[in-house]
Amino acid sequence: MVRKSATIQDVAVAAGVSTATVSRTLSKPSVVAKATREAVLSAVERTGYRVNATASNLRRQRTGSVIALLPNLANPFFSQILAGMSAVFRQAGYGLLVADTRAEPDPEGRLTHYLRSGLADGIVLLDGTLSAAPLTRPARPPVVLACEWMQEDLPSVRSDNAGGGALAVAYLVGMGHRRIGHITGPQGNCLSQTRLDGFHAAIKAQGAQTRAAWIFEGDFSMESGAAAAQAWLGLTDRPSAVFCASDEMAIGFMGAVQHRGLRVPEDVSLVGFDNIEVAGHLSPPLTTIQQRRSEIGGRAARLLLDMIDAGSLTGPSETIGVELIERGSVARIAP
């Protein structure tokens, strides 16, 4: 004999509430009183009721999925951001799809495709180098930018990048360094420019020194950090410390100078930015500016869900503070 599947009416009877209350509890548990929520969830367990997510999404004209678009799936920086997003979306009953904007030669066409495809109820965009033009279309899903941004009227969740640059300089000055260089991110990138702005403002405020020859152009990769190290090695007048706009560039710089027989931090001190997982396992472990990546992902996810629920394409922006993680890559020197 085939056992009949439990219905939402069965759950309502078992919990002693209405079917509307059961539906509200399962879709938005935070708006239901704790006692009611516990009664409904207990009844779901006793009856063996399973939510038909497909039917529910069809009724609401939703897909039940969101897409995260990022510029490099291989970059370890994104792992904690995606984990923070996934936890929030999973709790809300949404599936998270992840795609690489640079997987094809036309990344803006890729963005346009996802905006028009109807594959998802919303998008979290982590690539601020794309044109904002596709986002001007009114017939598109809600979009939240995370970490990077395109223009100020688009909702975003980002770190205090200028504050991080200033924090790195202040720490180096406090350790006795007055001659400080910087490896930038790629030209035209909002993160690169904002961190550089914070660096320059702090150099001036702290009474430290920098020079045009001490500003090395990078692109956030280890290879560009190694190239900056070669440029630094070629100088006759070197800065005693270098603030790197990403941990990967700091890693590339460190490896290159060590291969030449120089020591970190005795011959050059380094500060990175991001606090990726490997930063604490280097020799020496890297002092760096920590972005709260899991929190960025979680808050971006919650903002997107609020916009989806409200049927809105607009929302607030938020800046999340950073902190310096002190390890072993900066030497204290006599001022």
Side-chain angles (χ1 to χ4, degrees):
M1 182 176 180
V2 178
R3 181 181 178 184
K4 181 182 176 183
S5 298
T7 66
I8 194 171
Q9 289 80 9
D10 296 328
V11 176
V13 171
V17 298
S18 67
T19 55
T21 298
V22 174
S23 178
R24 187 161 54 250
T25 301
L26 297 177
S27 61
K28 289 186 176 180
S30 61
V31 303
V32 179
K34 181 180 179 181
T36 302
R37 183 168 64 247
E38 291 177 349
V40 170
L41 295 179
S42 175
V44 167
E45 186 174 350
R46 294 197 309 274
T47 60
Y49 175 69
R50 293 186 178 182
V51 178
N52 188 332
T54 301
S56 176
N57 288 329
L58 283 172
R59 287 194 298 271
R60 295 183 299 163
Q61 294 187 321
R62 292 183 181 174
T63 67
S65 297
V66 293
I67 297 175
L69 296 176
L70 46 114
N72 182 2
L73 283 172
N75 190 333
F77 170 77
F78 296 113
S79 60
Q80 287 188 16
I81 296 175
L82 292 173
M85 284 184 203
S86 179
V88 172
F89 287 135
R90 183 172 59 251
Q91 186 175 28
Y94 278 80
L96 175 62
L97 310 175
V98 181
D100 193 329
T101 56
R102 305 306 170 92
E104 296 180 2
D106 181 14
E108 289 178 16
R110 188 82 168 166
L111 172 60
T112 300
H113 164 71
Y114 283 114
L115 290 170
R116 295 178 176 176
S117 66
L119 292 173
D121 299 321
I123 294 174
V124 181
L125 182 59
L126 294 97
D127 187 351
T129 66
L130 302 179
S131 167
L135 299 176
T136 61
R137 297 175 63 251
R140 64 167 176 84
V143 176
V144 170
L145 286 94
C147 296
E148 301 195 25
W149 59 96
M150 295 175 176
Q151 55 194 49
E152 294 300 328
D153 60 341
L154 292 170
S156 67
V157 179
R158 65 185 80 162
S159 293
D160 182 3
N161 292 280
L167 190 60
V169 171
Y171 174 72
L172 289 169
V173 170
M175 294 291 281
H177 296 272
R178 293 294 183 273
R179 298 156 55 82
I180 305 172
H182 178 51
I183 310 177
T184 72
Q187 288 189 353
N189 180 275
C190 56
L191 302 179
S192 305
Q193 188 59 53
T194 309
R195 292 171 193 177
L196 179 62
D197 291 344
F199 169 83
H200 278 306
I203 288 287
K204 182 177 180 180
Q206 297 286 337
Q209 300 177 38
T210 194
R211 300 178 183 177
W214 298 352
I215 306 298
F216 310 99
E217 184 177 336
D219 60 10
F220 293 147
S221 70
M222 282 188 274
E223 291 77 11
S224 66
Q230 296 303 325
W232 178 86
L233 287 163
L235 295 173
T236 56
D237 182 28
R238 300 169 179 165
S240 64
V242 177
F243 163 51
C244 310
S246 80
D247 286 348
E248 289 207 41
M249 293 194 298
I251 292 168
F253 190 105
M254 183 184 296
V257 298
Q258 288 174 335
H259 287 152
R260 289 285 294 271
L262 278 73
R263 300 165 300 163
V264 176
E266 291 84 356
D267 297 310
V268 60
S269 291
L270 296 176
V271 176
F273 201 112
D274 291 333
N275 195 30
I276 61 176
E277 285 74 6
V278 73
H281 301 281
L282 303 173
S283 181
L286 182 66
T287 294
T288 186
I289 303 299
Q290 175 171 269
Q291 297 197 69
R292 297 181 347 227
R293 291 178 287 147
S294 180
E295 184 174 348
I296 290 171
R299 293 195 186 187
R302 282 188 286 272
L303 173 56
L304 184 63
L305 290 174
D306 288 344
M307 293 168 63
I308 292 171
D309 286 342
S312 175
L313 299 182
T314 62
S317 292
E318 183 176 2
T319 299
I320 297 176
V322 296
E323 62 180 313
L324 185 134
I325 305 299
E326 184 176 12
R327 295 194 178 106
S329 62
V330 177
R332 183 178 295 278
I333 64 174

